[in-house]
Amino acid sequence: ARLMLELYCFEFFTVGMVQTDTNFSNFLIREVEGDLQLVLLDFGATKKYDQQFIDNYVTLIKSLENDSADKIIELSIEFGFLNREESPEVQKLYLEMMSIAIEPFMKCKKVGSFSFSDIEYSKRSNAILREFITSLKYSAPPHQIIFLHRKLGCLFALLKRLNLELDIYPYWTKMTKQDR
């Protein structure tokens, strides 16, 4: 699990190139001299992210932890993640969806770990995503986000399948630090 989290941070935040295929068979784990190594296979669904997109993404996720709802909405509109024409109700759903998305990280910050087998979290996350998507009238998510979050969703699904309780706040720190 930690190798997968390290890989995600390295791929997107350091290199700007992410293997986005969510098929678990595209990853192997091997042991070399007592150390586990992650082996990636099938780079057909690799996506390149430019530095401006990465910087915008980092700015947005950092704002989720500390900034006002108005600031988060403005950044999301500025970065093209949300259309200014969306209703206040859609904006409220967006904020709720984003809050739920970072909840595992924030829970780890407070109590030290998050249980990926938390069924209630999964239900709330899926419900708000569906409600948000069906409420949109003017926004289409940038295609880069779709592929990036498909990878992140795969990672969370793997952690859930492994029934892990894990402190992932160090990864939040890694994702949001200035000098990635």
Side-chain angles (χ1 to χ4, degrees):
R2 292 187 194 284
L3 288 172
M4 293 292 288
L5 289 163
E6 291 291 334
L7 173 65
Y8 177 79
C9 289
F10 177 75
E11 283 181 315
F12 181 66
F13 296 99
T14 303
V15 179
M17 189 170 291
V18 179
Q19 179 205 37
T20 62
D21 191 341
T22 60
N23 186 341
F24 293 141
S25 67
N26 285 335
F27 304 94
L28 298 176
I29 297 173
R30 69 178 172 198
E31 188 174 351
V32 177
E33 297 179 12
D35 289 327
L36 294 179
Q37 296 179 341
L38 194 59
V39 179
L40 295 134
L41 308 168
D42 188 3
F43 294 91
T46 301
K47 299 292 178 198
K48 178 84 173 120
Y49 294 88
D50 65 43
Q51 192 60 49
Q52 183 64 50
F53 181 86
I54 296 167
D55 291 344
N56 288 346
Y57 189 87
V58 170
T59 298
L60 178 61
I61 64 173
K62 284 171 69 171
S63 78
L64 297 173
E65 186 174 10
N66 298 313
D67 288 337
S68 69
D70 290 340
K71 172 81 173 185
I72 294 166
I73 292 295
E74 276 307 309
L75 285 172
S76 298
I77 290 169
E78 181 182 326
F79 299 153
F81 298 158
L82 190 64
N83 188 298
R84 187 173 303 283
E85 300 299 315
E86 295 294 356
S87 70
E89 293 79 19
V90 168
Q91 292 180 12
K92 184 179 176 193
L93 287 170
Y94 175 80
L95 290 168
E96 186 178 348
M97 178 183 67
M98 298 301 270
S99 176
I100 290 172
I102 69 164
E103 188 176 307
F105 297 101
M106 298 304 107
K107 184 171 183 184
C108 290
K109 181 180 181 182
K110 289 179 185 169
V111 299
S113 66
F114 176 77
S115 174
F116 286 89
S117 60
D118 181 343
I119 299 299
E120 289 307 310
Y121 175 78
S122 293
K123 286 179 183 177
R124 285 185 302 112
S125 182
N126 289 332
I128 192 65
L129 180 61
R130 277 192 305 277
E131 187 176 1
F132 173 70
I133 288 172
T134 59
S135 298
L136 289 172
K137 291 195 183 339
Y138 304 100
S139 301
H143 72 279
Q144 299 104 321
I145 288 290
I146 293 169
F147 289 106
L148 182 63
H149 287 178
R150 182 172 82 169
K151 172 72 173 240
L152 192 54
C154 172
L155 178 53
F156 273 56
L158 174 64
L159 299 176
K160 182 178 177 181
R161 179 180 276 177
L162 294 172
N163 198 26
L164 288 178
E165 187 162 324
L166 191 62
D167 179 4
I168 59 171
Y169 192 73
Y171 300 100
W172 177 267
T173 303
K174 196 176 275 202
M175 292 184 309
T176 58
K177 67 182 206 184
Q178 292 289 346
D179 58 339
R180 294 173 315 284

